[in-house]
Amino acid sequence: MKRSIFLALLFAFVSSVVWAADMKEIIDKIEKKHAQAKNSLTSIKIVSETVTNLGESKIVMRGVVYQKGNKIRSENEPIETSADIPKEYLQKTVTVFDGKDLWIMSPAGTQRIPMALGDVEKLKPLDDLSWLTNYTKYMNLKGEEVVDGQPCYVISISKPSEMVLYLDKESLEWVKSEQEINGDKMVVERKDFRSLPGVAGVSIPYRILIFMNGEKIAETTVKDVEVNPSIPDTLFVVKISSPPSPEEKNKEEAGSSKGTWDKLKELAK
């Protein structure tokens, strides 16, 4: 998925030194928070529903995400749809990161997905800012802003993708992100954070809103959360008949170049 580049905010030499020191402090706090959470959190299961608006039509998806250590499994299945939605968009899909590769499985088959650095972390319901540590030199602390009544750090990031993140100053959870996708401005807002029982200092958003060019196109609501459930390792095993040939691999990568938002835009036309 192509992303437009945001204009860099230029600081005077003295200002940049101050911001750099603050940025390091923020990253250090995030790392400390994640390290503490790992002592009491080994796995999680989250059930949610997502309503996606496609013009006058809509799709309601039931989602289940499992995370065990660094492995992730995400299951999505339509439970309510408008009559005019093509059947190809109404299939159950399963996305798995097995610790090494990212896969998507559907009735059409199993496919390895080429991924950019940071893509896996975006799938995580927990520890989804761990990738920041590797990209501190591509980040700038632009200042502070109040979001939903909470003071936030405003951070611009140029890699692994162009975006602006808003981090709650107290909880260090990201509550808002902004980026451009194929010339469209996408804003993600995370709300209604609730603490996880038995896991000090860790909370998750129970509502996630996605806006495109100022219009809300999707809303996710968390329905159930299980902390430290017993998750079998077999959930993260992907079975394929044989490794893809170079020709098949090129075909897969070409087919994966069109992102979810591109497909939704086509449906909404």
Side-chain angles (χ1 to χ4, degrees):
M1 185 178 289
K2 298 179 181 178
R3 294 182 174 92
S4 301
I5 301 177
F6 285 111
L7 295 177
L9 182 63
L10 300 179
F11 292 100
F13 174 76
V14 174
S15 299
S16 64
V17 172
V18 174
W19 287 128
D22 289 344
M23 192 70 253
K24 183 180 183 306
E25 181 181 355
I26 293 171
I27 296 298
D28 288 344
K29 289 181 179 178
I30 291 175
E31 288 183 322
K32 182 178 180 181
K33 175 183 176 181
H34 289 165
Q36 292 175 338
K38 288 179 180 179
N39 294 329
S40 52
L41 184 64
T42 58
S43 63
I44 192 167
K45 174 184 176 182
I46 299 178
V47 180
S48 64
E49 286 185 9
T50 298
V51 179
T52 300
N53 300 305
L54 305 169
E56 298 298 321
S57 305
K58 75 173 183 179
I59 302 177
V60 181
M61 303 286 288
R62 179 181 185 270
V64 184
V65 177
Y66 304 86
Q67 182 177 342
K68 183 177 183 180
N70 194 42
K71 297 180 179 180
I72 309 159
R73 179 185 178 97
S74 175
E75 303 175 356
N76 291 280
E77 184 173 17
I79 57 175
E80 180 184 341
T81 65
S82 300
D84 57 343
I85 301 297
K87 291 184 179 180
E88 63 185 283
Y89 294 95
L90 304 182
Q91 302 174 340
K92 178 179 179 179
T93 59
V94 178
T95 304
V96 172
F97 177 69
D98 58 13
K100 180 181 178 182
D101 295 308
L102 184 64
W103 302 85
I104 185 167
M105 295 171 282
S106 71
T110 299
Q111 183 178 2
R112 185 178 63 84
I113 305 298
M115 57 183 176
L117 293 174
D119 282 353
V120 170
E121 280 73 10
K122 295 173 185 177
L123 296 174
K124 293 180 179 179
L126 297 168
D127 193 25
D128 60 346
L129 289 180
S130 58
W131 56 273
L132 285 178
T133 303
N134 299 320
Y135 296 93
T136 52
K137 65 180 179 180
Y138 303 110
M139 301 182 337
N140 283 306
L141 181 57
K142 298 175 64 177
E144 299 180 7
E145 187 174 318
V146 176
V147 177
D148 285 343
Q150 291 298 116
C152 294
Y153 296 115
V154 183
I155 301 172
S156 65
I157 305 173
S158 59
K159 286 187 178 182
S161 60
E162 296 282 341
M163 69 170 60
V164 177
L165 271 181
Y166 296 77
L167 299 184
D168 186 299
K169 290 182 64 177
E170 182 178 353
S171 68
L172 295 178
E173 299 286 354
W174 74 269
V175 298
K176 181 180 176 181
S177 69
E178 299 174 345
Q179 63 185 127
E180 289 188 11
I181 300 178
N182 295 342
D184 297 305
K185 183 177 181 180
M186 184 175 76
V187 176
V188 179
E189 297 180 359
R190 309 207 305 176
K191 302 174 180 290
D192 190 15
F193 280 82
R194 303 182 193 179
S195 299
L196 292 180
V199 186
V202 178
S203 59
I204 64 170
Y206 271 63
R207 290 180 64 219
I208 302 174
L209 311 178
I210 300 178
F211 299 86
M212 193 65 70
N213 298 326
E215 179 182 357
K216 186 175 76 170
I217 62 168
E219 179 172 348
T220 297
T221 303
V222 171
K223 297 296 184 180
D224 185 53
V225 177
E226 293 183 41
V227 175
N228 292 330
S230 177
I231 301 177
D233 290 332
T234 53
L235 278 184
F236 309 102
V237 176
V238 177
K239 296 181 180 180
I240 55 176
S241 56
S242 61
S245 65
E247 293 77 12
E248 291 173 330
K249 183 177 178 181
N250 291 335
K251 184 177 179 181
E252 287 179 0
E253 294 182 355
S256 303
S257 62
K258 181 173 289 187
T260 301
W261 169 239
D262 300 292
K263 296 176 182 178
L264 293 179
K265 283 182 69 177
E266 290 177 358
L267 280 177
K269 289 180 180 178

